[in-house]
Amino acid sequence: MLISRNPDETATEQGRSGVDFAHLRRRLGDPASLDDRDRQRLMELARRVARVRAMGDEYLRVELSDQASGALLHAAGA
C-alpha cells in the first residue's frame, strides 16, 4: 500500500528545511520581527555559505545578502 507524504516531511528527510524562503525574505525587511526559528534558519544558511566558500575558486563569490547578514548581526546583539 502506498502512503502519501507531507511535502515538508519529505523535504526534511532529504536534508532540506520546510522553511519558505519567500517568507524568510519578507521577514528580513524588519530584523526585529524575526523569531527564533527564523534566526536558527539564518544561522544554518550562514554555515552552509561558509562551507561553500571553503571550496575556494569561484565559490568564494557566494555570500549572504546584506539583509541576511544584517539580521544575523542584529540577532547576535540581541
Side-chain angles (χ1 to χ4, degrees), residues 2-61:
L2 296 176
I3 300 172
S4 64
R5 301 184 97 162
N6 180 340
D8 287 342
E9 290 173 6
T10 303
T12 303
E13 288 174 11
Q14 294 176 359
R16 296 184 308 241
S17 172
V19 173
D20 177 12
F21 286 110
H23 169 77
L24 186 56
R25 233 180 263 119
R26 283 189 302 272
R27 301 282 302 259
L28 285 173
D30 180 17
S33 72
L34 296 174
D35 60 22
D36 288 338
R37 185 174 180 187
D38 296 330
R39 287 186 204 91
Q40 185 176 32
R41 183 65 181 145
L42 278 174
M43 290 172 50
E44 175 60 26
L45 289 172
R47 283 190 291 271
R48 289 181 181 197
V49 166
R51 287 196 314 253
V52 169
R53 289 178 56 91
M55 293 190 299
D57 294 328
E58 69 270 11
Y59 298 107
L60 290 172
R61 294 181 291 171

